[in-house]
Amino acid sequence: MMTRVPGLCSSPQNATAGLGNRSQTWWMDLPGFAACFQNTVAVWIPCIYLWISFPFYYLYLQKNRRGYIRMSAVFKAKMILGFALFVLCFSTISYLLWKANQGVLPAPELIISPTIQLVTM
């Protein structure tokens, strides 16, 4: 059993306690990760990677100074997908805050992860 993060993944809504359950991950017919792992680590690692790589990419852009972005079909598809992900994260946060206002408190990781994604975008 993996360790438990204080304050996270401790709500009764999570079926498994902690970040992972080895028997659920490895010794099952259909293995999978714990809900807490999917809502925290699997979301945070790509965001941390983007935060770490951003200064290097920014320096690269400053050094090359091409000054323009081609409006190709791939660029337009990426912009549409990025906007859709932004709207999805914002609506998830809005819905969870609305539920909290109604008296149903969601698990903290369900609010923190979309917020980290929204800040990363």
Side-chain angles (χ1 to χ4, degrees), residues 47 85-87 89-90 93 113-121:
C47 294
L85 289 173
F86 179 82
V87 169
C89 286
F90 186 76
I93 294 169
S113 291
T115 305
I116 289 174
Q117 285 179 328
L118 193 64
V119 168
T120 302
M121 287 187 209

Side-chain angles (χ1 to χ4, degrees), residues 37-60:
F37 183 87
Q38 291 178 2
N39 291 329
T40 56
V41 177
V43 173
W44 298 351
I45 294 295
C47 294
I48 291 171
Y49 170 75
L50 289 173
W51 294 341
I52 291 172
S53 63
F54 171 73
F56 301 108
Y57 185 64
Y58 183 74
L59 289 173
Y60 168 76

Side-chain angles (χ1 to χ4, degrees), residues 3-4 18 21 23 29-30 44-45 50 59 88 103 115 121:
T3 59
R4 180 180 286 207
N21 186 350
S23 63
D29 293 334
L30 186 60
W44 298 351
I45 294 295
L50 289 173
L59 289 173
L88 181 67
T115 305
M121 287 187 209

Side-chain angles (χ1 to χ4, degrees), residues 71-89:
M71 296 294 286
S72 66
V74 174
F75 174 77
K76 292 176 185 177
K78 287 180 182 180
M79 289 301 293
I80 291 170
L81 182 63
F83 182 72
L85 289 173
F86 179 82
V87 169
L88 181 67
C89 286

